Amino acid sequence: MAKQRAPHLVVFTGAGISAESGIQTFRASDGLWADHAIEDVATLDAWRRDPERVLRFYDMRRDQVRRAVPNAAHQALASLEQQGFRVSVITQNIDDLHERAGSRRVLHLHGEILKARSSIDPRLYYPLPRGDIALGDLCDKGSQLRPDVVWFGEAVPHFADACEIAAEADLLLVVGTSLAVMPAASLLEHAPLDAPCVLVDPEANALAPPGVARISQPAGQGVLALVHHWTHEGRLWLPETLLE
Ligand code: APR
């Protein structure tokens, strides 16, 4: 008899899944973009105009990430792999909390704050296990190092890979994203038409596109409730009792 294929969960996450770990989201009233103008800290023009200011912004965010620990939602997703599910995480987040929780397949659409990269050759990147990036820190080709993150207006190099992963989902779980940024948010359109899709977010009712189920709860509740059902049943499904 053909070996039963492991059910494939594709998880698409945003800043909201790291909120309960103490990492700021972007568009909340107390979010990062309330205190910092995107054009001053997260664009190529900002980098060319005032690299020191950009480096300080990412030093502050890197410090938040290093002080944070994975929360119950990160851990619940990682635990599914031990239960025999195939789990692919596609995240907009630049923190390493999915990896620290134990998730083995994590694709960062917007880069990774714990890496530096060459300003002239994106293939040259350097892990930052400790410390930050200073002016004068150079790549092997002699150019200033920058955070290995995707700034507004820059291409999203792994988006095509992410679409291929989403196309193989048996179920698409979307957690903690306002779906405000393209092309990332269009990932939902790449899941198979017959794959259920559910959004876990306290604002799910306002955000969920048509056809997407919604659980208006924080990740630490909504994701755990889903993972509990999936683990208990050994299959991916959307229990009506959990949905709005
Ligand atoms: N659990 C789940 N979701 C939460 C929680 C929580 N505890 N707290 C907040 N949220 C939700 C908010 O309701 C919001 O919908 O997380 C979402 C965060 O939205 P944004 O701040 O816009 O973050 P995100 O969607 O990840 O932004 C996408 O924009 O600025 C760029 O590159 C940046 O990757 C980022 C992208």
Side-chain angles (χ1 to χ4, degrees), residues 12-21 23-28 31-33 38 42 58 61 71 73 91-94 109-110 149-152 174-182 184-185 199-204 207 215 217-223:
F12 177 46
T13 65
I17 199 169
S18 298
E20 290 160 84
S21 297
I23 296 182
Q24 275 180 290
T25 63
F26 294 94
R27 293 170 181 82
L32 269 169
W33 300 144
I38 288 173
Y58 285 93
R61 294 185 62 192
N71 61 53
T91 187
Q92 300 172 89
N93 300 339
I94 59 177
L109 284 181
H110 296 159
V149 300
V150 177
W151 284 325
F152 284 86
V174 183
V175 187
T177 176
S178 62
L179 297 171
V181 168
M182 289 295 176
L199 169 61
V200 175
D201 186 311
E203 307 297 325
L207 294 166
I215 297 177
Q217 291 176 6
Q221 281 175 255
V223 170

Side-chain angles (χ1 to χ4, degrees), residues 3-15:
K3 188 171 173 306
Q4 186 75 11
R5 172 173 76 77
H8 185 204
L9 174 71
V10 176
V11 194
F12 177 46
T13 65

Side-chain angles (χ1 to χ4, degrees), residues 17 72-73 76-77 173 175 200 217-228 230:
I17 199 169
L77 293 173
L173 168 61
V175 187
V200 175
Q217 291 176 6
Q221 281 175 255
V223 170
L224 264 70
L226 285 168
V227 168
H228 171 78
W230 295 337

Side-chain angles (χ1 to χ4, degrees), residues 131-144:
D132 291 307
I133 306 171
L135 281 183
D137 289 348
L138 306 181
C139 76
D140 295 340
K141 293 186 175 175
S143 92
Q144 172 65 45

Side-chain angles (χ1 to χ4, degrees), residues 32-238:
L32 269 169
W33 300 144
D35 304 331
H36 304 270
I38 288 173
E39 57 275 8
D40 290 341
V41 293
T43 64
L44 207 45
D45 285 346
W47 174 247
R48 289 176 177 144
R49 195 176 342 114
D50 187 350
E52 181 69 37
R53 180 174 190 175
V54 173
L55 289 174
R56 280 201 311 272
F57 174 69
Y58 285 93
D59 291 354
M60 173 273 291
R61 294 185 62 192
R62 196 172 295 113
D63 182 52
Q64 271 188 25
V65 168
R66 287 190 171 125
R67 281 187 282 112
V69 293
N71 61 53
H74 296 108
Q75 285 158 355
L77 293 173
S79 74
L80 279 176
E81 295 181 40
Q82 278 84 47
Q83 317 290 334
F85 290 89
R86 182 175 155 221
V87 181
S88 300
V89 177
I90 299 167
T91 187
Q92 300 172 89
N93 300 339
I94 59 177
D95 63 54
D96 63 338
L97 297 183
H98 283 298
E99 291 90 339
R100 277 198 264 154
S103 288
R104 288 199 302 271
R105 271 184 299 281
V106 182
L107 181 64
H108 289 268
L109 284 181
H110 296 159
E112 298 178 68
I113 199 165
L114 295 179
K115 286 183 183 157
R117 81 159 169 82
S118 163
S119 295
I120 56 172
D121 182 351
R123 292 167 305 175
L124 291 178
Y125 62 86
Y126 309 82
L128 286 172
R130 68 195 65 78
D132 291 307
I133 306 171
L135 281 183
D137 289 348
L138 306 181
C139 76
D140 295 340
K141 293 186 175 175
S143 92
Q144 172 65 45
L145 289 182
R146 56 171 273 187
D148 188 18
V149 300
V150 177
W151 284 325
F152 284 86
E154 292 190 310
V156 179
H158 299 304
F159 186 64
D161 298 337
C163 293
E164 283 176 26
I165 294 167
E168 295 176 355
D170 292 320
L171 188 145
L172 179 63
L173 168 61
V174 183
V175 187
T177 176
S178 62
L179 297 171
V181 168
M182 289 295 176
S186 67
L187 192 71
L188 277 66
E189 296 156 22
H190 293 268
L193 291 175
D194 61 350
C197 178
V198 59
L199 169 61
V200 175
D201 186 311
E203 307 297 325
N205 273 322
L207 294 166
V212 174
R214 55 203 65 182
I215 297 177
S216 297
Q217 291 176 6
Q221 281 175 255
V223 170
L224 264 70
L226 285 168
V227 168
H228 171 78
H229 278 280
W230 295 337
T231 304
H232 184 65
E233 301 265 330
R235 66 188 175 99
L236 295 172
W237 62 303
L238 289 184

